[in-house]
């Protein structure tokens, strides 16, 4: 008689526990240092405010040694003059600019001299590892038009502060602090003694690997918002919104920044009907070709410029 073997029973599989991803702990004692207060809109300005020009421009840079650089710039094109009518009045102008730069790890000197008599100078000195002095001045032949400014920048572990002194009895100070690894908050105050005006402002900046969002408001009536989305390492989309609640002026714009292998293309369009594009083409080592175009449909003002940049 065959032995009856009962069928083997398989135990049901144990229910798998869902994987719990613990949130990353934030070390608030080791937050990153934020960017300077006046540069919180840096990424948006790169896309939306390129150096547009009208006419012809030629720039030549000569490196004499690792610390000393000379530059020559020639510009020919129209210059706008203020008028009470809606039409833009332009007069043809041309000027030459000579520049000299001294570059050192702790000291930088920049000087520009134009044929119309203007002299621009900038100085940057690292007084210590954390304290930097920045000064700039513009001297002209016109009376009461020369001006200067000095900034003392202090870079802390997770904050930055700045104190400003300027011509016309201008005093200012700002401070920005990292609150989280992605969020930084700051504020500023200023006093213009010549005009008897004072103001206070606040700013916030949130950035990740893919986006940068900033907001700024001031007692002068200015409200500025900007957003930059990094589609890839070479493509960025940007937008901004500017509002003045005293004059009721509103402007919004969208733009792009596209970096190709041999060129960089930037452009924008705003709510006033103004469209602009800026192209930088690398023709060869040390030789760049520049195209600039801007169309203002409302004012019927059309600008086009081209230029060459020789030297690195």
């Amino acid at each position: 008689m065959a032995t009856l073997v009962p069928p083997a029973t398989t135990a049901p599989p144990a229910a798998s526990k869902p994987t719990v991803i613990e949130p990353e702990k934030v070390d608030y004692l080791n937050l990153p240092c934020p960017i300077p207060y006046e540069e919180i809109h840096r990424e948006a300005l790169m896309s939306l405010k390129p150096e547009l020009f009208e006419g012809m421009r030629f720039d030549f840079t000569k490196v004499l040694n690792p610390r000393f650089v000379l530059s020559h710039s020639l510009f020919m094109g129209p210059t706008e003059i203020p008028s009470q009518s809606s039409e833009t009045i332009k007069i043809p102008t041309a000027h030459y600019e000579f520049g000299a730069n001294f570059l050192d790890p702790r000291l930088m000197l920049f000087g520009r001299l134009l044929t119309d008599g203007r002299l621009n100078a900038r100085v940057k000195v690292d007084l210590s590892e954390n304290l930097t002095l920045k000064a700039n001045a513009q001297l002209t032949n016109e009376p009461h038009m020369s001006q200067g400014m000095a900034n003392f920048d202090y870079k802390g572990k997770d904050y930055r502060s700045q104190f400003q002194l300027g011509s016309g009895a201008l005093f200012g100070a700002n401070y920005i602090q990292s609150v989280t690894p992605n969020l930084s908050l700051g504020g500023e105050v200023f006093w213009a003694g010549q005009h008897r005006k004072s103001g206070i402002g606040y700013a916030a900046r949130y950035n990740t690997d893919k986006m940068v969002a900033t907001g700024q408001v001031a007692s002068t009536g200015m409200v500025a918002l900007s957003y930059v989305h990094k589609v890839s390492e070479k493509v960025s989309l940007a937008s901004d919104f500017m509002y003045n609640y005293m004059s009721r002026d509103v402007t919004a714009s969208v733009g792009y920044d596209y970096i190709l292998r041999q060129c960089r293309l930037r452009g924008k369009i705003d709510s006033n009907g103004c469209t602009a594009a800026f192209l930088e083409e690398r023709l060869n080592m040390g030789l760049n070709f520049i195209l600039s175009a801007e169309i203002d449909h409302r004012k019927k003002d059309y600008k086009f410029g081209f230029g060459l940049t020789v030297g690195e």
Side-chain angles (χ1 to χ4, degrees):
M1 186 176 178
T3 305
L4 297 177
V5 179
T9 58
T10 58
S16 59
K17 296 182 180 180
T19 304
V20 178
I21 301 177
E22 296 183 359
E24 184 179 355
K25 294 183 179 180
V26 178
D27 186 2
Y28 290 99
L29 297 180
N30 292 292
L31 294 176
C33 184
I35 68 172
Y37 185 90
E38 67 270 16
E39 298 181 13
I40 60 171
H41 301 284
R42 180 172 57 190
E43 291 81 1
L45 293 177
M46 288 291 294
S47 302
L48 301 174
K49 307 224 179 261
E51 298 180 6
L52 301 172
F53 64 96
E54 184 179 10
M56 188 276 291
R57 194 176 82 184
F58 177 77
D59 300 313
F60 175 74
T61 303
K62 176 64 174 178
V63 180
L64 301 182
N65 56 55
R67 294 188 177 183
F68 199 66
V69 180
L70 296 180
S71 64
H72 306 269
S73 299
L74 178 65
F75 173 79
M76 292 186 292
T79 300
E80 298 182 4
I81 60 176
S83 64
Q84 297 180 353
S85 62
S86 59
E87 296 182 358
T88 304
I89 300 177
K90 302 180 181 180
I91 57 174
T93 59
H95 67 257
Y96 164 77
E97 178 182 289
F98 172 76
N101 303 334
F102 177 80
L103 307 176
D104 187 77
R106 299 183 65 89
L107 174 64
M108 295 185 184
L109 303 174
F110 305 91
R112 297 291 184 271
L113 179 63
L114 284 77
T115 52
D116 59 4
R118 285 181 296 168
L119 174 64
N120 299 324
R122 288 189 297 143
V123 180
K124 180 183 178 182
V125 185
D126 291 335
L127 302 177
S128 67
E129 185 177 353
N130 301 98
L131 183 61
T132 302
L133 168 63
K134 298 178 182 178
N136 62 79
Q138 184 180 53
L139 306 178
T140 66
N141 296 326
E142 303 178 9
H144 309 292
M145 294 301 293
S146 299
Q147 55 185 353
M149 173 86 65
N151 299 333
F152 292 89
D153 297 343
Y154 186 83
K155 179 182 178 182
K157 186 178 181 181
D158 56 2
Y159 68 92
R160 288 179 185 263
S161 60
Q162 182 185 79
F163 183 71
Q164 302 173 341
L165 296 173
S167 55
L170 175 64
F171 301 92
N174 61 62
Y175 178 87
I176 186 168
Q177 170 76 54
S178 291
V179 181
T180 69
N182 304 107
L183 177 64
S184 55
L185 303 175
E188 64 174 342
V189 294
F190 72 89
W191 162 255
Q194 184 176 2
H195 303 285
R196 300 292 179 179
K197 291 184 178 180
S198 62
I200 187 171
Y202 304 95
R205 174 185 168 94
Y206 186 85
N207 64 285
T208 64
D209 295 336
K210 287 293 185 179
M211 55 81 68
V212 178
T214 60
Q216 190 174 8
V217 61
S219 59
T220 55
M222 183 268 296
V223 177
L225 305 174
S226 66
Y227 177 81
V228 178
H229 185 76
K230 301 176 183 178
V231 180
S232 64
E233 294 183 357
K234 297 183 178 181
V235 182
S236 298
L237 301 177
S239 64
D240 71 347
F241 176 82
M242 304 290 293
Y243 173 63
N244 191 310
Y245 58 81
M246 291 186 178
S247 62
R248 303 299 181 184
D249 293 333
V250 181
T251 304
S253 59
V254 294
Y256 58 89
D257 189 350
Y258 194 13
I259 301 176
L260 300 172
R261 186 172 62 91
Q262 290 290 111
C263 73
R264 182 177 184 178
L265 179 61
R266 288 175 283 177
K268 70 157 189 175
I269 182 171
D270 62 26
S271 57
N272 294 324
C274 183
T275 306
F278 191 79
L279 173 68
E280 297 172 281
E281 177 80 22
R282 188 183 183 93
L283 302 178
N284 206 338
M285 181 68 68
L287 180 61
N288 296 331
F289 179 64
I290 302 174
L291 283 177
S292 173
E294 184 178 11
I295 301 176
D296 192 333
H297 295 281
R298 179 177 298 180
K299 297 181 179 179
K300 296 183 179 180
D301 184 20
Y302 311 105
K303 301 177 183 179
F304 178 76
F306 66 95
L308 279 177
T309 301
V310 181
E312 294 295 337

